[in-house]
Amino acid sequence: MNTPATSTGLAHAELDAVEALTALDRAWVNFLCQQMPTSHATHLWLAALTSHQWGRGHACLDIEALQSNAAGLLTWSSADLQALPKDWADALDTLPWCKGPQSPMVRHAGRLYLRRAWRAEASITECLRSRKDAEPGRPPSATERLDALFGPPDPQSPQHSQRMACAMALQHHTCIITGGPGTGKTTTVMRLLALLQAEHGPAPMRVLLAAPTGKAAARLNASMAQAHAALPQGWQPAMPGDAQTLHKMLGWPGQASARHSQRPLRADVVVVDEASMIDLEMMARLLLAIPPSARLVLLGDKDQLASVEAGAVMAQLCEGPLMREATATLTHSHRFGIDSAIGQWAQAVNTGDRQRLQTLWQAASGTPTHDKPGVALWHQGQNKSAIWGPDPTARVRAWWHEWLQQLQNWSTDPKDHTDATHRNAQARQCLRNFGRLGVLCALREGPWGVHAFNLALARCMGLPLTGWYAGRPVVITRNDSALGLMNGDVGICLPHTSGETSTLQVAFADGPDGVRWVAPGRLENVDTALAMTVHQSQGSEFDQVLLVLPDRDAPVLTRELIYTGITRARHDLGIWVAQPDVWWLACQRITQRSGGLGQ
């Protein structure tokens, strides 16, 4: 056991030598030592690993996993793993930074937390239990109304799982409706709103719609409008207002979340789509903001990628005791039928069915066509020095033909110079044409990362490689409250004429039909978006998707990432695999995020 004071100096040196630890991890250790020095070297390791796991998306450091399978928990290199100490038990019992009600770290139920993470997780647990205790139970007229809306129960009906989801949701003030693409999540929630409105009475319910990103909010608006129009005669509740981002609905992160418990949201029902993207602290803020009398309905696909920030909230809630009884899974896909190639690939990836994937691989490999919807597969050919082979290039240009043609013809119509309404309509069409294709990369860096592919795509399309230019698509990478733009919003730089002045402006969709024009100089946090990461694509759908995997394995290449990328496609899917072994490893690797919500 390392207990002399000099051993902590050695531990600092060992931490500095571990490549996997970040500067933030080391700064956290230094801060703790300045506040409360320790003579135990392993204390420093525990603090660094807790910070490290938070940065990797975990809510906590799983102590049991650290002791029994550190390699599987951390996925470090062999050299970094060799530096780990062995005396965890004694160090845990004497860790000074877990003492007292305001300690910077918390040890709880076999897990070690940063206090901010523990506070968020504890708040979520407390809110959910409190809301469950206050539930009124199943309305007496529920069965009668379900029969009137859906017809008699029929397990063979495509709508049966939607009926069962509504029946479950009527009994709970907080519920989760999960399912893959096209399983009818928004259709189900619109029918649930119709049932709740019938129970509520003639006065319209106050319904708030929200999603984690601007793109997801816009898609929720469109889906809800379509679902509202498809309701049977006599079942149309008042259409909810436009969906907002969670940041806008709850207030920006700098605002104290405590104000929400004092001034909760004014709503009878709150519906949040793409709930798999909600991180630990955002979920805590959301639950604090909802009054006890209001219902919360979370929609999403539990099998998609978890949030970029820490936590796997939706997946853990679906599996754990807090929400298990209040979770419904929709299974019948109305988008991907039994003969859908995309649906078959998605299901095989999601279940880890290697034999089925091998069959699909053999059927698709080497058979890309430009006129037949479905799945095309490319993998490294003889020309290993070129990032673009001929077939993917031709497919991408064909998919983006209308967008490239519109860029070429931009401003040839005199109305573009004089009629703002006409110009805005053209900009909206340009955004739609561009948004039909998503080129999705698994990584940000490297020759197969998003930055390299943006350059390759620009060359392929005949566009400039740097600077602001007409046709440059961009994605917002950080929320900007001053401009009202959210992380994930996509815009296109276009010529903009006002009077006799012509400048470049970036057009963003604004509501169902509007356009917001922003000067490029005001956009500080943007990336070129000819290609984007799979994470950035969450909350989006594209008619066509080209999913790009690198030539080397990486810990972020998981089954959830592949599934998320595949299911962004509506009609056509191209998969470009630099090395087939990377594909097979990714399809077998399951994301594991430590946390206590599933316990």
Side-chain angles (χ1 to χ4, degrees):
M1 180 177 67
N2 295 327
T3 55
T6 55
S7 68
T8 59
L10 178 61
H12 275 289
E14 291 174 342
L15 292 177
D16 289 341
V18 174
E19 293 184 0
L21 294 176
T22 67
L24 186 60
D25 300 332
R26 299 184 181 94
W28 173 244
V29 172
N30 291 333
F31 168 77
L32 293 176
C33 287
Q34 290 170 4
Q35 301 302 309
M36 187 180 297
T38 177
S39 61
H40 201 314
T42 309
H43 289 162
L44 278 60
W45 279 98
L46 287 168
L49 290 175
T50 304
S51 170
H52 178 69
Q53 291 297 84
W54 173 260
R56 295 176 63 221
H58 298 267
C60 59
L61 173 64
D62 187 319
I63 296 170
E64 181 180 348
L66 176 66
Q67 294 173 319
S68 63
N69 185 20
L73 177 69
L74 301 175
T75 63
W76 284 6
S77 68
S78 298
D80 283 352
L81 288 170
Q82 287 296 319
L84 290 172
K86 307 300 181 185
D87 54 336
W88 298 118
D90 178 70
L92 284 163
D93 292 336
T94 58
L95 191 64
W97 305 308
C98 291
K99 310 299 183 182
Q102 299 301 322
S103 60
M105 298 173 65
V106 176
R107 184 182 178 186
H108 178 75
R111 298 179 290 273
L112 197 57
Y113 294 85
L114 302 179
R115 179 162 286 277
R116 63 182 290 189
W118 178 83
R119 185 183 294 117
E121 195 171 275
S123 177
I124 292 170
T125 301
E126 181 182 355
C127 285
L128 289 175
R129 286 176 176 166
S130 176
R131 291 177 61 80
K132 184 175 182 179
D133 291 341
E135 288 177 349
R138 183 183 177 92
S141 57
T143 301
E144 180 183 345
R145 289 199 169 105
L146 285 165
D147 288 346
L149 182 57
F150 287 95
D154 179 6
Q156 304 304 316
S157 169
Q159 293 185 340
H160 183 68
S161 62
Q162 297 181 12
R163 177 196 168 101
M164 297 298 292
C166 285
M168 176 279 297
L170 289 172
Q171 301 180 62
H172 299 283
H173 264 192
T174 307
C175 69
I176 297 174
I177 299 176
T178 181
T183 52
K185 294 184 288 292
T186 49
T187 298
T188 302
V189 81
M190 181 56 76
R191 291 189 167 226
L192 174 62
L193 292 178
L195 291 163
L196 292 173
Q197 181 65 69
E199 188 72 27
H200 185 265
M205 293 188 304
R206 296 170 299 179
V207 179
L208 294 180
L209 305 178
T213 67
K215 289 186 298 182
R219 194 158 63 85
L220 177 59
N221 280 330
S223 298
M224 291 294 283
Q226 186 177 7
H228 187 270
L231 283 171
Q233 187 68 30
W235 281 97
Q236 286 90 354
M239 182 65 191
D242 286 344
Q244 309 173 70
T245 63
L246 282 171
H247 286 96
K248 185 174 182 180
M249 185 176 77
L250 299 177
W252 293 85
Q255 298 172 324
S257 60
R259 75 175 179 88
H260 296 306
S261 60
Q262 299 165 5
R263 292 189 295 157
L265 296 169
R266 298 183 60 189
D268 298 306
V269 184
V270 178
V271 177
V272 182
D273 198 12
E274 298 291 351
S276 64
M277 299 170 65
I278 303 176
D279 62 77
L280 194 67
E281 293 184 306
M282 179 61 80
M283 183 62 78
R285 293 179 63 208
L286 173 63
L287 288 168
L288 284 173
I290 297 175
S293 60
R295 292 176 180 266
L296 171 62
V297 183
L298 299 172
L299 306 177
D301 186 346
K302 64 180 178 60
D303 297 317
Q304 282 188 28
L305 282 166
S307 61
V308 175
E309 303 298 331
V313 179
M314 183 175 181
Q316 290 181 2
L317 289 179
C318 288
E319 297 166 1
L322 280 171
M323 292 289 295
R324 188 180 294 127
E325 294 180 355
T327 297
T329 301
L330 304 179
T331 56
H332 180 84
S333 177
H334 300 270
R335 182 190 307 168
F336 301 138
I338 191 171
D339 296 326
S340 165
I342 297 174
Q344 291 177 30
W345 279 79
Q347 183 180 32
V349 168
N350 196 27
T351 58
D353 188 340
R354 185 180 178 93
Q355 183 175 353
R356 180 60 178 153
L357 281 171
Q358 288 175 331
T359 301
L360 293 169
W361 179 284
Q362 294 299 325
S365 181
T367 59
T369 60
H370 301 304
D371 55 353
K372 182 181 179 181
V375 178
L377 174 67
W378 295 270
H379 51 86
Q380 193 76 18
Q382 295 180 353
N383 185 9
K384 295 186 178 181
S385 63
I387 191 170
W388 280 105
D391 285 331
T393 300
R395 174 61 70 93
V396 168
R397 290 189 63 86
W399 279 338
W400 261 334
H401 173 75
E402 292 184 22
W403 175 61
L404 294 171
Q405 189 66 44
Q406 188 177 12
L407 288 180
Q408 184 177 348
N409 297 335
W410 187 267
S411 296
T412 58
D413 190 332
K415 287 185 178 180
D416 292 340
H417 301 274
T418 59
D419 188 333
T421 301
H422 179 77
R423 182 171 58 243
N424 288 350
Q426 291 295 305
R428 287 290 299 219
Q429 187 60 46
C430 190
L431 286 164
R432 282 192 289 269
N433 287 337
F434 172 75
R436 291 191 175 115
L437 168 64
V439 179
L440 310 182
C441 297
L443 304 179
R444 294 189 63 84
E445 306 298 338
W448 295 87
V450 72
H451 295 309
F453 259 76
N454 270 310
L455 292 175
L457 284 165
R459 293 188 186 99
C460 173
M461 302 297 123
L463 298 172
L465 303 183
T466 59
W468 287 100
Y469 56 85
R472 181 191 177 190
V474 295
V475 59
I476 301 295
T477 59
R478 184 178 298 175
N479 295 329
D480 190 325
S481 57
L483 296 176
L485 295 173
M486 308 296 169
N487 184 12
D489 286 349
V490 173
I492 297 180
C493 186
L494 295 167
H496 183 279
T497 302
S498 179
E500 298 181 357
T501 303
S502 182
T503 60
L504 289 176
Q505 298 276 314
V506 183
F508 293 90
D510 188 16
D513 302 305
V515 174
R516 177 178 303 178
W517 296 91
V518 180
R522 300 186 66 191
L523 297 173
E524 298 181 356
N525 300 294
V526 295
D527 286 338
T528 299
L530 290 165
M532 64 177 66
T533 64
V534 176
H535 276 94
Q536 287 175 316
S537 75
Q538 281 188 274
S540 300
E541 290 181 351
F542 307 92
D543 289 344
Q544 295 89 20
V545 161
L546 177 63
L547 177 62
V548 181
L549 296 190
D551 57 349
R552 297 180 183 180
D553 189 32
V556 298
L557 300 176
T558 63
R559 182 183 300 176
E560 291 83 1
L561 182 138
I562 303 296
Y563 171 78
T564 301
I566 286 174
T567 55
R568 299 310 88 202
R570 294 190 190 97
H571 305 304
D572 297 278
L573 172 66
I575 304 174
W576 196 358
V577 182
Q579 292 294 339
D581 287 348
V582 173
W583 162 267
W584 297 114
L585 287 171
C587 288
Q588 297 305 310
R589 182 183 290 124
I590 301 173
T591 300
Q592 299 285 353
R593 282 196 173 182
S594 303
L597 292 176
Q599 306 301 315

